[in-house]
Amino acid sequence: MLGSPVRVSYNLETAELDAIIVGEPYSPEFPTTHANFGIATAAASMVGTKLLAKRDTPLVGVLGSGNQARLHVAALTAVRRIQDVKVYSRNPDRAAAFAAETSEALGLRVTAVSGAEEAVAHSDVVICATNASTPVLDGSWLSPGAHVVSLVTGDSGLQTRGHVSRKRRELDDETLRRADVIGTSSVLQVDLDRGADLYDSREKGLFPAEKLVDLGHLMRGEHPGRVNDAQITVFKNSALYGSGDQAITRLLIDKARSRGLGTRINTSPGTSPAESR
């Protein structure tokens, strides 16, 4: 277990230690697919997608063929009924492997395509799960009613080439201009990170500040989100790793207890390991 992540959960009412989870949770559809905060990241993206995407989303386009892309498609099946997936990767072999594995795991028609525009065209949901430094999505490719998920965020993405430090971007200006609603995990996090996609674009007037909506406002019904099926929406996953991870930890604990799994440890003061069971 050397190097495995450890999650610690406390009782909200008593502040007592509730559980310790060692290891990274994984999707049962992809048991060998692991990504740092992979489940939490995909789950947060799909909370935003559930609130912003139109109800009927049979066709999905995916840019990227790594672990996050797999987990995002799997998570999407929990909030929308999808039928076909098109995937594009700069590495055709990886795209083909993604298509074969995802098709078998999720029972979907998954096709590797030869270009990003082909993956995006006519798609109801577009998932950008890349490690890009420059935009991978051209907003002119989006069909009316499309919903876009984007992952690249924040100052953690700064890349240095020679003496020039450049912020990473995944979305182009046209995507942000065409979007009717841009949701994000946390507007405060956007302001703290000062990333290129949202912060810089907003500050230079590419879109009005009121277009950027905090996920919490959407969840509480304080913002209507999408109001018709022709609107284009974007969800930029910018945070929720702490609160989202704790929500998933709570779910894992409840499932483990319901199935009689795990080892119960007596954490009362003065208790020796021999007294635990």
Side-chain angles (χ1 to χ4, degrees), residues 16-248:
E16 294 178 318
L17 177 63
D18 199 16
I20 300 173
I21 298 178
V22 180
E24 184 72 31
Y26 61 85
S27 164
E29 294 88 355
F30 300 107
T32 61
T33 295
H34 300 284
N36 189 30
F37 291 108
I39 298 295
T41 302
S45 292
M46 291 311 123
V47 172
T49 297
K50 182 177 181 180
L51 294 168
L52 288 174
K54 59 187 180 182
R55 297 301 305 173
D56 187 20
T57 59
L59 181 58
V60 177
V62 181
L63 303 182
S65 58
N67 291 340
Q68 284 288 6
R70 286 174 170 81
L71 293 174
H72 272 68
V73 174
L76 180 57
T77 63
V79 299
R80 288 293 186 272
R81 182 174 296 176
I82 62 178
Q83 298 173 356
D84 295 273
V85 178
K86 297 179 293 181
V87 59
Y88 168 72
S89 171
R90 290 181 299 177
N91 185 323
D93 292 338
R94 291 191 62 180
F98 176 98
E101 181 182 354
T102 306
S103 178
E104 180 178 0
L106 301 176
L108 302 171
R109 291 188 292 266
V110 186
T111 305
V113 297
S114 59
E117 183 175 1
E118 186 179 358
V120 173
H122 309 296
S123 291
D124 302 296
V125 176
V126 177
I127 298 172
C128 300
T130 71
N131 195 30
S133 300
T134 57
V136 296
L137 177 62
D138 184 329
S140 67
W141 301 338
L142 295 169
S143 297
H147 173 70
V148 178
V149 178
S150 175
L151 305 185
V152 168
T153 60
D155 57 357
S156 61
L158 290 176
Q159 292 193 354
T160 301
R161 295 185 178 182
H163 299 290
V164 179
S165 183
R166 185 175 65 183
K167 296 180 181 180
R168 292 168 56 191
R169 287 196 67 175
E170 200 169 43
L171 305 178
D172 74 332
D173 290 355
E174 186 65 13
T175 298
L176 299 174
R177 286 194 194 99
R178 292 189 66 195
D180 295 282
V181 183
I182 302 172
T184 186
S185 312
S186 168
V187 173
L188 175 60
Q189 193 68 46
V190 169
D191 292 336
L192 290 172
D193 288 345
R194 299 192 173 194
D197 274 333
L198 298 188
Y199 182 86
D200 287 354
S201 297
R202 183 193 62 191
E203 293 304 296
K204 69 181 183 182
L206 188 63
F207 62 84
E210 58 268 23
K211 186 185 283 189
L212 184 61
V213 183
D214 196 286
L215 178 60
H217 293 171
L218 293 168
M219 295 176 69
R220 293 190 296 269
E222 296 168 4
H223 188 284
R226 174 186 292 273
V227 296
N228 63 64
D229 284 353
Q231 288 187 317
I232 291 175
T233 55
V234 171
F235 183 75
K236 188 72 173 178
N237 194 335
S238 62
L240 283 190
Y241 300 125
S243 57
D245 206 47
Q246 282 300 304
I248 291 170

